[in-house]
Amino acid sequence: MEKIRHDLRLSETISPFGVGAIVDVRGESLMAPDTSWWDKKFAHEISCERLMARLGAGVLRQPPAHADRAAKETPALPYWRFPAWRFCERCDKLSKLTGRSKGKWSNTCDCGGALVPMRYVAVCEKGSHIQDINWFQWAHRGRAARLNEAVRFCRDYKALRFRKLATRGEGLAALVVKCHGCGNERSLAELVTKGALHRDGIRCAGRQPWEPEASVKKPCPYELVAVQRGATGNYMAERISALDIPEERPQSAETADKIRGHMLFGKVVTDNGGPQSEVLAQLIADDIGVTAETVLGVAAGEDNPASELLLDLKDGEWAAFLKKLDQGRDRTGSDFVVDGRSLEGLTGPQSLLAKISGIGQVRRVREVRALRGFRRHDAEAKLINADLGADKSYRPTYPAIELFGEGIFLRFDEEKLAAWEAQPEVEARASILKTRRGDSPWAGRLDVPEPRYIALHTLAHLLIRRLAFASGYASASLQERIYANSDRTDKTAGILIYTAAGDAQGTLGGLVRLGDPKKLIPLLVAALDDADFCSNDPVCIESDRQGASQLNLSACHGCSLVSETSCETGNRLLDRQLVLGGSDVRGLLDDVLADVRRPR
């Protein structure tokens, strides 16, 4: 284990090169170990009470990385060489041996050739473990080993070679591991068949490459699969982010407190659904200005919100944004500054203005992103925590970064949105994605694709694509946050678009400037106009099976998709028809372009 001093953006230490990920640095293949290996004096603690309240016990620390010239005392992340098996590009020698040159690990063969990492590694199917393939063991297994004792008992460890045979074409059959001691050879075509490693007696070690053998308490029961070293499924990070805002209590929580504080509430609870409780509930409802059903719901404990981590975070953020919108110009000097803007007297298509109930110019916002852990090979595999050290149970360390940025907040009219999504054809369109989400073993972690979520999510993508031309930010530097849920006690309907790569571009002011309603409304119209015609139409607009796991309907790279790092769901749950309308369904904003294009 050595510290590699190499330029690495701070945001990359969370994703895609976080704990457990393979990263190529200066021709070497390396893997970042868990946070217990960090030098904590260079990993300063990050404070975010909202995020830690949801994560539980632990501490957020910024990775000790750098992105400038390195010196002797420059903070650096440790890396583990993986895979350890490499072959020489000059003499084809295959081994896991390495040397030292001038006190550092050498990546050069004895013959002077550069060592190249083997392209295949072994990943556990469900345990999220990864390990080297023991190429000497594998080369002496298979059919030849069962027929020839010389192969089975060969111990010539320095005679292994990895070669490409031009006579066999360009496939895996042309890539051969050969032992010159016993003469046996096997092609990589035998490696990728189902159950190949299991048949050769190669079992899962039950640990990560940097963990010692003593850390394994019980053997892993799952089989190994040979996969390419750079396969995207080898590392699936589970991140969570929170906006550091003065969290406000949702309106429903404040109403529930008023109900509980009423002098008659105790008798409603005591009657426990009897005839007297209905009469008393109506009296309380008349005093406070709510419905009797709301009072009875609080008495029954139905006001408690669902326990989903991200939805719980968004509830507090939504309430804070609504409070800022009502206050107008924000003159506070905190890390959360939002100017609420009014739409009164604004000229533009009324079909669009009527559906927007508030705009906020987010002049300053602080976001904290943390890495909870990762999975390998299968989205349903075991979650490996970012901290595997001795403190992982009572005080784990989560890698985290903080970003300061700006943004635009849009609130939509709840009444008009609810009326639109109640249409049978709209519900039927959204139910296609709901069914596929339910059928997928991993998609349950995505938001529920109800009509409002799909429409606002797609609109956020269209606006990001348009803002990339006008804001001065690249589209990959913009991030979305969708507030669209009708199952919560406080229904949400809004989108936030904010800068997401503050360590690279900073806060330039170009985004918040476009949050002025006089500039934002034309940008929204332009975004809808861009999406009205896709270069892949009519295939795209008529399609209902696009994207990863077919979790998109009418949405493709030509019209709606953005950088996956900018999207909450990795470019899934999108549909242009629920925004602009289609032959069988009315879109949320399907009459906006008609209003704009109508002759005056």
Side-chain angles (χ1 to χ4, degrees):
M1 178 76 71
E2 279 198 356
K3 294 179 180 178
I4 306 294
R5 288 178 171 85
H6 174 71
D7 289 353
L8 192 68
R9 281 178 53 190
L10 192 59
S11 60
E12 292 178 330
T13 61
I14 302 297
S15 179
F17 303 134
V19 170
I22 297 176
V23 53
D24 290 321
V25 176
R26 299 173 185 172
E28 296 197 53
S29 179
L30 307 172
M31 180 177 288
D34 67 90
T35 56
S36 64
W37 292 77
W38 288 4
D39 188 345
K40 299 299 194 297
K41 68 180 179 181
F42 293 117
H44 73 265
E45 188 172 339
I46 293 177
S47 175
C48 184
E49 295 181 1
R50 295 188 65 239
L51 189 54
M52 286 312 305
R54 273 69 177 188
L55 288 174
V59 60
L60 301 173
R61 289 190 180 274
Q62 180 174 296
H66 77 284
D68 206 340
R69 294 183 179 273
K72 187 175 180 180
E73 296 299 324
T74 301
L77 281 169
Y79 283 92
W80 188 272
R81 177 176 281 129
F82 181 84
W85 283 86
R86 294 166 295 165
F87 69 93
C88 176
E89 64 180 6
R90 180 181 297 179
C91 68
D92 298 330
K93 183 179 179 180
L94 174 60
S95 72
K96 58 189 299 186
L97 300 177
T98 188
R100 293 180 72 88
S101 174
K102 298 180 180 180
K104 295 184 178 181
W105 294 112
S106 171
N107 195 42
T108 306
C109 180
D110 295 337
C111 70
L115 295 176
V116 180
M118 287 296 286
R119 65 177 65 182
Y120 277 88
V121 295
V123 177
C124 180
E125 285 186 328
K126 293 290 184 181
S128 293
H129 305 124
I130 191 170
Q131 65 189 58
D132 260 302
I133 296 174
N134 189 325
W135 293 102
F136 185 86
Q137 180 184 2
W138 180 80
H140 294 85
R141 297 291 173 91
R143 183 173 182 272
R146 293 191 294 269
L147 301 177
N148 191 334
E149 285 192 4
V151 174
R152 190 160 59 248
F153 296 107
C154 177
R155 293 296 180 268
D156 197 347
Y157 295 105
K158 296 184 179 181
L160 213 59
R161 299 290 185 271
F162 177 66
R163 289 176 177 160
K164 181 181 185 299
L165 304 180
T167 56
R168 298 191 182 181
E170 296 294 332
L172 290 179
L175 301 177
V176 172
V177 176
K178 182 175 182 178
C179 176
H180 286 265
C182 62
N184 189 47
E185 68 176 37
R186 298 184 73 183
S187 71
L188 295 193
E190 300 179 50
L191 182 70
V192 296
T193 58
K194 185 174 178 60
L197 293 177
H198 184 75
R199 288 193 301 270
D200 290 334
I202 301 176
R203 302 289 184 263
C204 179
R207 59 188 175 90
Q208 302 301 322
W210 65 85
E211 291 186 283
E213 294 184 11
S215 65
V216 181
K217 304 302 181 183
K218 58 181 180 179
C220 178
Y222 303 111
E223 292 186 12
L224 291 173
V225 180
V227 296
Q228 293 197 51
R229 178 179 63 90
T232 55
N234 291 347
Y235 184 75
M236 293 175 279
E238 184 164 318
R239 301 171 298 161
I240 185 168
S241 66
L243 301 181
D244 187 18
I245 64 178
E247 185 167 332
E248 300 292 336
R249 300 193 69 205
Q251 183 63 39
S252 61
E254 295 182 357
T255 302
D257 287 345
K258 292 181 181 179
I259 293 173
R260 293 190 187 98
H262 198 280
M263 58 183 300
L264 299 177
F265 181 73
K267 295 181 179 180
V268 176
V269 176
T270 304
D271 195 49
N272 194 23
Q276 185 180 5
S277 63
E278 296 183 3
V279 177
L280 296 175
Q282 188 61 55
L283 293 175
I284 297 174
D286 293 339
D287 287 347
I288 298 178
V290 297
T291 63
E293 289 75 14
T294 302
V295 177
L296 294 174
V298 173
E302 295 176 359
D303 65 302
N304 294 326
S307 59
E308 292 93 337
L309 185 61
L310 186 58
L311 283 178
D312 194 23
L313 282 168
K314 286 185 175 181
D315 281 345
E317 294 171 9
W318 177 256
F321 273 115
L322 296 191
K323 183 176 180 180
K324 290 285 187 179
L325 290 183
D326 294 338
Q327 292 177 347
R329 182 66 182 268
D330 190 349
R331 302 187 184 277
T332 62
S334 65
D335 286 337
F336 183 59
V337 180
V338 182
D339 290 343
R341 301 299 300 269
S342 173
L343 297 177
E344 293 183 7
L346 191 66
T347 59
Q350 292 302 311
S351 53
L352 176 61
L353 297 177
K355 292 184 174 69
I356 298 176
S357 59
I359 294 177
Q361 289 180 284
V362 185
R363 299 194 176 275
R364 183 175 173 84
V365 64
R366 176 176 178 259
E367 180 194 12
V368 177
R369 298 181 192 169
L371 176 67
R372 298 181 66 190
F374 60 89
R375 292 179 170 86
R376 301 195 193 278
H377 186 65
D378 193 317
E380 289 299 305
K382 177 184 176 182
L383 177 68
I384 304 297
N385 295 327
D387 189 349
L388 298 176
D391 298 339
K392 63 182 180 181
S393 299
Y394 63 93
R395 189 176 168 79
T397 297
Y398 297 100
I401 58 173
E402 57 180 347
L403 301 172
F404 293 91
E406 55 180 315
I408 300 171
F409 179 77
L410 275 170
R411 182 190 182 188
F412 288 82
D413 186 89
E414 173 63 35
E415 184 178 345
K416 289 183 172 57
L417 200 60
W420 167 76
E421 66 182 355
Q423 300 176 50
E425 59 272 18
V426 172
E427 292 181 350
R429 181 79 178 174
S431 66
I432 299 174
L433 292 182
K434 284 185 179 180
T435 302
R436 291 178 191 164
R437 175 182 177 270
D439 294 340
S440 175
W442 60 268
R445 292 196 291 271
L446 301 178
D447 291 81
V448 178
E450 53 183 311
R452 68 172 63 196
Y453 182 89
I454 300 172
L456 296 185
H457 185 205
T458 307
L459 182 61
H461 278 226
L462 301 180
L463 189 53
I464 286 175
R465 291 167 67 101
R466 172 46 54 179
L467 287 171
F469 291 99
S471 66
Y473 289 102
S475 62
S477 298
L478 301 178
Q479 183 91 5
E480 68 177 9
R481 203 159 178 87
I482 311 300
Y483 304 92
N485 196 297
S486 61
D487 292 333
R488 310 292 279 177
T489 306
D490 295 273
K491 296 181 179 181
T492 59
I495 59 177
L496 169 67
I497 297 175
Y498 61 103
T499 54
D503 61 331
Q505 297 193 27
T507 304
L508 306 177
L511 185 60
V512 70
R513 175 179 60 88
L514 298 177
D516 186 320
K518 295 180 181 179
K519 298 177 180 179
L520 183 58
I521 296 303
L523 279 172
L524 279 169
V525 174
L528 296 176
D529 190 54
D530 291 342
D532 194 29
F533 299 99
C534 174
S535 59
N536 292 324
D537 280 342
V539 176
C540 175
I541 196 65
E542 295 176 358
S543 176
D544 62 358
R545 294 179 179 275
Q546 297 192 84
S549 301
Q550 300 180 349
L551 286 172
N552 285 336
L553 300 179
S554 299
C556 71
H557 283 284
C559 57
S560 306
L561 271 59
V562 296
S563 303
E564 288 197 3
T565 53
S566 299
C567 178
E568 284 187 338
T569 59
N571 275 329
R572 301 179 182 93
L573 309 183
L574 299 166
D575 181 27
R576 274 194 299 150
Q577 289 200 32
L578 286 182
V579 177
L580 298 170
S583 58
D584 300 322
V585 63
R586 288 201 62 187
L588 176 63
L589 303 175
D590 66 345
D591 47 357
V592 174
L593 293 179
D595 285 355
V596 173
R597 295 166 180 170
R598 185 178 296 117
R600 302 298 178 184

